[in-house]
Structure formats: C-alpha cells, structure tokens
Amino acid sequence: MQFYIMSFLSPQDLCQLGSTCQYWHTVVRDPVLWRYFLLRDLPSWSFIDHNSMPDVEKISKPLGGLDDDTMHDYMQEYLKSCPGCRRRLKPYRRGYAAVTSFLHSLVINTEPRLAMFGPGLEQLEVSLVRKMMHSPDVIPVAGFPQRQINGIGSGISFMLNNKQRFNILTLYSTTSKERERARVEQNNAPNKMFLQEGDVAAECPTMSYRIIPQVQEVCRVVDGFIYVANAEAGRSHEREEEFAQIQAMTASDLGSSNRPVLVLSCVSRAGTRRIPCVYMAHELHLNRLPRPWLVQDAEAETLNGLLNGIEWILEESGINV
C-alpha cells in the first residue's frame, strides 16, 4: 500500500519524504519505484547531455536480470538525468582555458562560427533554416559576412538575446532540387559531403567516412557543430550511418577535441510524433563521442527549443551569454 501511494508522488516529493526519518529514507529508495519513474518520465524530457545521459540498456532490462547492487542505482540515475532534478550548470573551465579563450577572442574573431548539417535540414516538411531567417522576433539575422571558406561561403550571422552575434555555416548534402525531390519521394538524397571508406562488400561492413576537402576547411575553423537530426517517429532512420558522419565531421585531426556538438532533435511542427531525446542520444551512440554534446528537442515551425540549444553550445564554446 505504501508503494502504491508513493507512485502518485513526484520524485521531488519522494526526496523530501526520505529526509524526514531513517525509515522513510530507506523506503523511498525502492528500485522498482524509481525504475517506474524513469520509464514513465524519460520520453517527456526535452534535453539530455553527456553528463546526464542515463544507461538506457540497463533501464530496459527486466528486473529479474539485475543484481541487488545494480538495482539501487535507479534513484541516482533518475536524479542525475531528470531536467527538473538537476541544475544546468555552466561548463567548468580551468583557469588556463579561460585565458586561452580570452586570447583567442582578441587575436581571431569574437563572433563564434558553428557548422550546421544533418538530415533534419533536408527531410523535414518545414525548413529550419528558412524559419530561422524569417523569425526576427525569435532569432534576428545580424548580417551576411563577406569572408569565404574555400567556396563554401561565409554563412549567416544571427543575434542571440540582442547582444551576442554568432555565425552559422549551413552544409547541405546536395543541391536544392535533389533535396526537394527526395523530400517528396520520402527518400534519402545521395550525400555529396561524405566519401565512404572501408570494405562495403564485407560480411560485417563498418561505417567509415571522410569529408570532402571544402568541408574539411569549414571543420578546421568552426567553434562547434550543430547536427539537425530528423526526430519524426514515422520515418526509417540510418542512425549507424549518421553517427559515422558525425564522427567524420568532428574528427580530431580537423581541430580541437573539445569543440561541442549540439544535436537538434527536430520535428516539423507541434503534434508530430517524435523520438524522445534520450532515445535519440542512444540511437546516435553519442556516448561514444569524446567531446561535450547535448540533445535538445526542437520544432522547425515555431523554433521551440532552438535558443536553449544555441545558448548551451555558445557557453560550451567559451562565450558568456
């Protein structure tokens, strides 16, 4: 009966109840209860990052397959992962990193550059980039710089909170006509940014890509990466291939291994059935990325979630927003 009553309490209420006495401190840590909260709540979380990603495989295992020590981790797993139970701290940077960031801003450019790519730019019915360019009340356009990067262009500068400028270089995989045809036919257009490596005909082929020289130049000068993932649940996705392409873009030989990756888990509009951000991070194998990352739910039509993600990646890049 106690267990049944506690299942109606919020996790925050349970933590307060557990602080009243030793008895309730023990009772509220019931692993079955916290596993129930995890499975119930994680589909509704709107963001997850490299510090808070729960162990999805462990959560999904039947309780009978877990030993007693593992069972007691569910409460800690929930409190670590739930956005409502943790504070979104600004990234910790050592003193020398802060000095390096300051000198970098003096010598190079105070306007950070971000490379945006991914299937969500091309497969969704609503164009995220077009919405960004025509939503001055959300994210005003600050200009079109004239500098060029080996034929790619200079990107578009936006303004965050009317004070911080940043530049986004949008990298499409193919031409606009090919993208539109693929969108209408619900197919994936051939990606011309990546060249596949390895033995494709092998029994167990491993996905490996390298990027074309023009895009390599972009990767060498940007301060972070924005990957726009298609989070619409009614479509098939090649997540292994997507992860291999993220790895190619963020390869350590193209720049610092500390540059962050923001994954916009994007749908066209509100009401579209989406893949929860925790499962998106799991499917993309982001825990294998040796750099800071965050998955943020977003909607192309309203730009909901976009500014939260932009603030995070600018802070991780050393910009005080």
Side-chain angles (χ1 to χ4, degrees):
M1 183 61 71
Q2 288 176 351
F3 178 86
Y4 179 69
I5 293 172
M6 286 190 296
S7 69
F8 290 97
L9 299 178
S10 70
Q12 292 86 347
D13 291 336
L14 278 178
C15 290
Q16 291 181 348
L17 177 62
S19 66
T20 57
C21 68
Q22 186 62 40
Y23 173 77
W24 285 112
H25 175 76
T26 303
V27 172
V28 300
R29 299 182 68 86
D30 189 296
V32 177
L33 184 65
W34 287 97
R35 181 176 185 270
Y36 161 74
F37 284 141
L38 270 169
L39 293 174
R40 182 196 68 183
D41 294 347
L42 64 83
S44 65
W45 296 342
S46 62
F47 66 90
I48 204 77
D49 65 15
H50 59 290
N51 290 320
S52 59
M53 178 66 181
D55 190 334
V56 175
E57 291 184 356
K58 186 178 75 174
I59 295 169
S60 304
K61 283 183 179 178
L63 288 173
L66 300 173
D67 54 42
D68 291 339
D69 292 335
T70 309
M71 294 273 281
H72 289 293
D73 289 340
Y74 282 116
M75 179 179 179
Q76 187 61 35
E77 197 86 5
Y78 188 99
L79 298 179
K80 177 192 76 172
S81 307
C82 175
C85 296
R86 59 187 172 89
R87 294 166 56 197
R88 294 185 65 179
L89 296 174
K90 291 187 177 181
Y92 170 75
R93 292 183 291 274
R94 299 181 181 88
Y96 70 82
V99 173
T100 302
S101 176
F102 173 70
L103 294 176
H104 179 83
S105 67
L106 289 178
V107 174
I108 301 181
N109 196 334
T110 56
E111 183 178 308
R113 289 175 173 178
L114 306 171
M116 177 183 279
F117 67 107
L121 289 176
E122 307 173 11
Q123 296 173 355
L124 299 178
E125 292 180 11
V126 180
S127 169
L128 176 66
V129 174
R130 193 174 295 121
K131 274 291 180 180
M132 290 172 64
M133 293 182 63
H134 297 90
S135 300
D137 54 327
V138 179
I139 183 169
V141 174
F144 299 86
Q146 297 304 309
R147 41 183 201 275
Q148 296 288 315
I149 304 176
N150 199 9
I152 296 291
S154 57
I156 306 168
S157 291
F158 295 93
M159 188 76 74
L160 178 67
N161 300 330
N162 293 321
K163 60 179 182 179
Q164 177 60 54
R165 290 170 64 106
F166 63 97
N167 184 272
I168 289 184
L169 288 148
T170 306
L171 303 174
Y172 290 107
S173 67
T174 186
T175 65
S176 58
K177 288 184 178 179
E178 290 171 322
R179 293 196 300 271
E180 184 59 33
R181 189 184 308 117
R183 190 183 297 118
V184 171
E185 298 174 356
Q186 291 285 298
N187 293 324
N188 294 326
N191 196 321
K192 297 179 180 178
M193 288 200 309
F194 298 94
L195 302 174
Q196 191 163 1
E197 295 181 326
D199 187 1
V200 183
E203 249 182 62
C204 300
T206 56
M207 290 285 184
S208 180
Y209 291 92
R210 60 184 173 88
I211 52 180
I212 60 176
Q214 297 95 317
V215 178
Q216 288 183 21
E217 292 300 315
V218 173
C219 293
R220 289 190 176 98
V221 300
V222 296
D223 302 288
F225 303 89
I226 302 176
Y227 184 78
V228 185
N230 185 342
E232 296 185 348
R235 183 188 177 103
S236 62
H237 305 281
E238 300 292 336
R239 300 302 188 197
E240 290 283 349
E241 182 176 329
E242 291 183 48
F243 174 69
Q245 292 174 357
I246 293 174
Q247 280 187 310
M249 288 286 290
T250 60
S252 58
D253 61 332
L254 298 177
S256 169
S257 60
N258 294 323
R259 292 181 297 176
V261 176
L262 166 64
V263 176
L264 292 176
S265 185
C266 202
V267 296
S268 292
R269 52 181 60 88
T272 305
R273 192 164 62 92
R274 68 159 60 246
I275 298 169
C277 66
V278 175
Y279 294 129
M280 176 65 74
H282 180 68
E283 291 177 10
L284 286 175
H285 309 293
L286 295 181
N287 60 325
R288 287 156 54 184
L289 276 184
R291 60 183 66 240
W293 57 264
L294 175 132
V295 180
Q296 171 70 55
D297 283 350
E299 294 171 9
E301 189 172 61
T302 61
L303 299 183
N304 283 345
L306 174 67
L307 296 187
N308 293 335
I310 295 296
E311 286 182 4
W312 175 86
I313 195 170
L314 290 180
E315 287 179 352
E316 286 287 339
S317 302
I319 306 299
N320 184 11
V321 295

